[in-house]
Amino acid sequence: MQLAAIVISLVTFVIGTALAARAALYIYKVVRTGAPDSTRFGQPAQRVKTVATEFVGHTRMNRWGIVGIAHWFVAVGFFSLVLTIVNAFGQLFDADFALPIIGHWMIWQLFVELVGTLTTLGIAVLIVIRLMSLPSRSGRKSRFAGSIAWQAFYVEYTILGIGLCILMLRGLEGALNGVDSYGPEHLVSYPLVSALGGLSHGTLENLIYLFAMLKICISFAWATTIGLNPSMGVAWHRFLGFFNIYFKREEDGGTALGALRPMTSGGRPIDFEDPAEDAVFGVSQVEHFSWKGILDFSTCTECGRCQSQCPAWNTGKPLSPKLLIMSLREHAYGKAPYLLAGGGKDMEGEERATSEQLKDVPAAALAEAERPLIGTAEENGVIDPDVLWSCTTCGACVEQCPVDIEHIDHIVDMRRYQVMIESSFPTEAGTMLKNLENKGNPWGMATKARLDWVKELKKETGIEVPVIGEDIDPAEVEYLYWVGCAGALEDRAKKTTKAFAELLHTAGVKFAILGKEESCTGDSARRLGNEFLFQMLGAQNVETLNAALEDAPVKRIVATCPHCFNTIANEYPQLGGHFEVIHHTQLLQHLIDEGKLIPVNPVEGLITYHDPCYLGRHNKVYSPPREIMDKVPGLRQQEMHRHKERGFCCGAGGARMWMEERIGKRINTERVDEALSLDPDIVSTACPFCLVMLSDSVNGKKNEGAAKEHLKVVDVAQLLLDSVKALPPTGDEEQPATVDA
């Protein structure tokens, strides 16, 4: 028995180790096929700290309650119990073997008992959760839909088998050593010790040889399996996750949200005023992704947390962030032999490699290399256009991913090529782009219309809004109010604009606007993929803002639109524009705290707040809108099921505001249905895009008789204004204020 155990174990060890090492080297080579990216190496100490924090604290996983706790023990056990494999090798030669120095140390034995048990229980919990949420039962609602099931179950049952072997060996060790009472060394395994105590010494030794062999064989059969499957993300993420987190986009450890990365070619930012002749615009081939992109694809563990939060997937659309990353991974690894042999095509589609270089490349890899990255099933495309254009760039996938995959950056990179080179995008978005080019706003309205709301406000309230440089000196301005296209031109959003201006006037804040000088920030153009147009609009706006605020003591800007807020604060620094930017809810909360705005008039009703994606997830502004509503008398707040970090998109982001939703349920309808489940009187938000999308759906529900006629959709600023401004004298008993929708 002992000899057989030694031979089988050593053969399995050698094969498994060799294959896993070969696969690790292959993964490294595949990742290297990506484009250069020199931005991933700064602040190494902070990056190490981020890895340690995310792994030890399980900061993403622990948001999922019992799943996070169970996974923590599995992850910790996987690495910390590696010495038990060393111990098992020793037991093959001597059943009574114990690790030198620590083998008989009570602390080590207690650690093995506890962590081994909790790892086993943890993986059992994860197995049960997977079985309860099988796609065969839950369909699209299962976050495991589309995942490679056999790989996941194989990994889980491997860990379960190893955990059971550890506990069995602990019991056999105790029985062999004659342990006859409870103690820290056998805190969990003593019942096994007691049950096995009656066996003979020889039988106990043979059982130790057997279970030591089983532990080793299960471990290195797993190593063999992952060695033969280098794209097996559900297994390889245990190693690659550390590297993927270390090399994440944000050096400070933040998620890859907020700003989009500058467009690069060959690892260098493209100079749009004088681009290089060989510049690659966007991503049209998998090797155009940076090496970090290929590492992202390799690291995906197929857990489906991104998928479960994705508004597109949840409303019946073909986009699943998980399936998109998996498709790119399988394509990258399928094409890898061709790329590693020197294959590749230039912008004209001419093959760069010689026939001699490609002679040993498998036919399957050559066929994979011919597939278009973006194309329909009939075109044998890797990513279907409907998948690419379903994304709202809401950031839910990036926010939830436990290994920091940067989905939005990859999606926008693919869009950039489609828009700028192929001119292939939803036709209705073309109207928006043309209007931005010709009129500086997506509606194509005349520039002078940007001041219509100013005239309306003066007529309604007598308040005059100054234009900086014309009606007021920049040195006198505390805040430049960036109104935004929607805030100036869309009727519903204009109500927010006027309410905010009136609140600033009431609080005595010196503010001004740019008026006709303001132009679209380019948010929708950039997220659609038209980087050139964004650069043009952004450079123009940065020049205008720098000139307008040149004499201002602080270049301080306030915006009511989260998209404008995000672009000016996070993306204009890429263009040389460095400004202090806040959202209007942040300023209003500050003015309330200072006592410059005092909500006194009650606004009665049950209210639920919708988090705008570009205010919440992208910029982590969650509290100010809620704190404002807390200060308004009469309001009773109730959160929707999906809120804050797990808030659900309105459907307008990623330039989807300008595209028709032809597949599945409308995202704004899904969100309004969630709000209506609370039977609210008011739905509030803090974004003009959200205001439009939610209002459209609520109006539709009213027409169907599915929503109360008095249900309002308003911006937080409108609520605050109704509570702040004095009620007109009526001579009757004071009545609660109503919200002006």
Side-chain angles (χ1 to χ4, degrees):
M1 177 66 205
Q2 183 180 21
L3 180 61
I6 290 172
V7 171
I8 294 171
S9 296
L10 291 178
V11 169
T12 308
F13 165 73
V14 170
I15 294 173
T17 303
L19 289 175
R22 185 187 69 169
L25 179 61
Y26 184 70
I27 291 171
Y28 173 75
K29 290 179 179 179
V30 174
V31 169
R32 288 285 303 271
T33 63
D37 184 351
S38 61
T39 66
R40 306 286 178 163
F41 303 95
Q43 298 189 29
Q46 177 59 49
R47 290 181 180 275
V48 170
K49 180 182 176 183
T50 299
V51 173
T53 301
E54 291 200 20
F55 176 71
V56 176
H58 253 47
T59 51
R60 302 291 180 83
M61 293 293 296
N62 282 337
R63 298 174 183 174
W64 291 74
I66 187 66
V67 176
I69 296 170
H71 191 276
W72 189 88
F73 283 111
V74 171
V76 169
F78 181 84
F79 291 103
S80 66
L81 296 177
V82 67
L83 286 178
T84 63
I85 296 180
V86 177
N87 197 76
F89 274 109
Q91 288 173 316
L92 292 174
F93 298 91
D94 178 4
D96 203 26
F97 176 83
L99 292 170
I101 303 175
I102 66 170
H104 294 293
W105 187 30
M106 182 267 289
I107 300 296
W108 167 249
Q109 293 190 10
L110 178 61
F111 178 84
V112 173
E113 289 273 313
L114 292 177
V115 176
T117 301
L118 291 170
T119 297
T120 305
L121 291 175
I123 200 65
V125 167
L126 296 180
I127 289 171
V128 170
I129 289 172
R130 188 178 294 273
L131 289 171
M132 289 174 62
S133 186
L134 287 174
S136 58
R137 295 180 180 178
S138 307
R140 286 176 67 98
K141 290 184 179 180
S142 169
R143 61 185 174 91
F144 304 116
S147 299
I148 303 174
W150 78 263
Q151 293 183 354
F153 280 117
Y154 176 73
V155 168
E156 289 174 342
Y157 285 118
T158 291
I159 296 171
L160 180 63
I162 293 172
L164 293 174
C165 284
I166 289 174
L167 295 177
M168 190 64 187
L169 284 168
R170 292 294 299 146
L172 289 166
E173 291 163 10
L176 189 66
N177 292 319
V179 174
D180 58 2
S181 64
Y182 264 107
E185 297 88 344
H186 294 280
L187 185 65
V188 179
S189 63
Y190 182 72
L192 277 174
V193 174
S194 180
L196 297 167
L199 298 178
S200 69
H201 189 275
T203 301
L204 289 172
E205 285 186 334
N206 281 328
L207 286 173
I208 287 176
Y209 301 146
L210 174 64
F211 279 96
M213 178 190 71
L214 282 175
K215 185 177 188 310
I216 292 167
C217 287
I218 292 172
S219 299
F220 290 96
W222 179 81
T224 300
T225 303
I226 69 171
L228 295 172
N229 295 277
S231 65
M232 189 174 172
V234 71
W236 279 106
H237 85 277
R238 282 165 173 73
F239 310 107
L240 300 180
F242 295 105
F243 297 99
N244 211 51
I245 295 170
Y246 180 88
F247 291 117
K248 67 193 300 185
R249 190 181 83 179
E250 303 301 325
E251 293 178 345
D252 63 1
T255 50
L257 294 171
L260 284 174
R261 298 190 71 213
M263 194 167 168
T264 60
S265 176
R268 295 180 298 276
I270 295 174
D271 180 356
F272 281 86
E273 293 184 2
D274 184 24
E277 289 186 9
D278 61 346
V280 177
F281 292 85
V283 168
S284 63
Q285 299 172 39
V286 73
E287 61 269 27
H288 292 165
F289 287 109
S290 72
W291 60 263
K292 175 55 168 66
I294 309 295
L295 182 59
D296 270 357
F297 310 153
S298 306
T299 308
C300 178
T301 184
E302 304 174 25
C303 66
R305 284 169 181 79
C306 57
Q307 179 174 289
S308 70
Q309 302 298 299
C310 178
W313 183 260
N314 275 281
T315 53
K317 296 168 182 60
L319 168 64
S320 155
K322 177 188 72 178
L323 298 180
L324 179 138
I325 295 297
M326 288 173 61
S327 296
L328 292 171
R329 179 187 66 198
E330 297 308 315
H331 177 57
Y333 279 84
K335 189 177 180 179
Y338 163 79
L339 295 174
L340 292 172
K345 296 184 178 179
D346 57 26
M347 297 302 292
E348 284 72 41
E350 297 296 322
E351 178 59 61
R352 289 193 292 259
T354 64
S355 55
E356 179 65 23
Q357 286 177 288
L358 300 179
K359 65 181 177 63
D360 295 324
V361 175
L366 293 173
E368 194 70 33
E370 295 300 318
R371 296 181 67 191
L373 189 65
I374 306 298
T376 62
E378 292 76 17
E379 297 166 333
N380 197 27
V382 178
I383 304 297
D384 192 278
D386 285 335
V387 169
L388 186 67
W389 298 112
S390 291
C391 180
T392 67
T393 67
C394 71
C397 50
V398 180
E399 178 71 35
Q400 292 297 327
C401 181
V403 290
D404 284 298
I405 293 171
E406 299 162 4
H407 311 73
I408 292 178
D409 287 349
H410 305 320
I411 288 171
V412 172
D413 274 341
M414 290 186 283
R415 285 183 171 188
R416 284 166 167 167
Y417 181 84
Q418 294 300 304
V419 172
M420 300 179 69
I421 303 301
E422 296 291 337
S423 295
S424 176
F425 51 89
T427 53
E428 58 268 24
T431 303
M432 178 268 291
L433 293 177
K434 191 175 297 183
N435 288 336
L436 288 180
E437 289 182 40
N438 298 331
K439 298 292 185 179
N441 69 79
W443 285 277
M445 297 176 70
T447 302
K448 64 180 181 180
R450 285 186 177 273
L451 289 171
D452 286 351
W453 72 271
V454 175
K455 299 171 187 173
E456 293 170 13
L457 183 64
K458 183 177 180 182
K459 184 177 179 181
E460 294 166 10
T461 66
I463 296 173
E464 295 189 11
V465 177
V467 176
I468 196 167
E470 294 181 12
D471 307 314
I472 190 171
D473 188 86
E476 299 177 49
V477 174
E478 294 178 67
Y479 291 93
L480 173 64
Y481 175 23
W482 184 275
V483 180
C485 299
L489 303 171
E490 206 282 328
D491 287 340
R492 285 163 288 189
K494 281 160 69 174
K495 293 180 180 179
T496 302
T497 304
K498 290 185 282 188
F500 181 58
E502 189 171 347
L503 286 166
L504 293 181
H505 176 79
T506 302
V509 176
K510 291 285 187 180
F511 74 100
I513 62 172
L514 286 173
K516 296 178 184 178
E517 294 300 310
E518 191 176 290
S519 184
C520 181
T521 59
D523 164 83
S524 291
R526 190 174 215 194
R527 277 147 187 80
L528 183 74
N530 195 329
E531 183 71 10
F532 179 79
L533 181 54
F534 165 76
Q535 294 279 334
M536 182 181 75
L537 291 168
Q540 174 187 322
N541 283 327
V542 167
E543 183 179 353
T544 300
L545 287 168
N546 281 332
L549 297 172
E550 184 177 5
D551 297 326
V554 181
K555 295 182 178 181
R556 188 178 289 142
I557 299 170
V558 60
T560 41
C561 176
H563 295 265
C564 298
F565 164 57
N566 178 70
T567 303
I568 300 171
N570 299 325
E571 298 188 330
Y572 279 6
Q574 299 171 8
L575 307 176
H578 300 277
F579 312 102
E580 182 182 322
V581 191
I582 62 172
H583 188 252
H584 76 291
T585 56
Q586 294 173 299
L587 179 55
L588 291 177
Q589 182 209 1
H590 176 67
L591 293 173
I592 291 173
D593 290 344
E594 286 193 331
K596 293 181 178 179
L597 291 174
I598 304 175
V600 290
N601 301 320
V603 179
E604 301 291 348
L606 177 67
I607 187 168
T608 189
Y609 175 72
H610 163 81
D611 286 285
C613 299
Y614 273 80
L615 183 63
R617 266 191 298 268
H618 281 274
N619 286 283
K620 307 297 181 273
V621 179
Y622 296 111
S623 297
R626 290 173 168 84
E627 291 184 20
I628 292 169
M629 290 184 289
D630 278 340
K631 298 291 174 58
V632 176
L635 285 180
R636 291 172 289 117
Q637 287 193 57
Q638 188 169 348
E639 297 283 9
M640 285 183 266
H641 175 66
R642 294 177 285 203
H643 64 280
K644 293 188 176 179
E645 290 86 352
R646 293 199 192 181
F648 198 77
C649 184
C650 74
R656 289 295 322 177
M657 179 82 171
W658 320 105
M659 293 181 255
E660 287 298 324
E661 225 174 311
R662 296 187 175 90
I663 304 173
K665 184 179 182 180
R666 293 180 67 88
I667 294 173
N668 59 338
T669 301
E670 172 74 9
R671 187 54 164 167
V672 165
D673 282 344
E674 185 172 0
L676 292 179
S677 69
L678 303 177
D679 194 28
D681 302 297
I682 305 167
V683 176
S684 66
T685 188
C687 169
F689 283 12
C690 297
L691 193 70
V692 169
M693 298 297 284
L694 298 178
S695 295
D696 283 348
S697 184
V698 165
N699 290 336
K701 293 290 181 181
K702 287 181 180 179
N703 292 335
E704 297 168 6
K708 297 183 291 192
E709 280 301 317
H710 70 267
L711 176 62
K712 309 291 185 183
V713 180
V714 295
D715 188 274
V716 172
Q718 294 171 263
L719 288 168
L720 182 59
L721 179 62
D722 277 347
S723 186
V724 166
K725 67 182 180 182
L727 289 172
T730 62
D732 300 323
E733 185 177 345
E734 185 175 327
Q735 297 295 320
T738 56
V739 177
D740 178 14

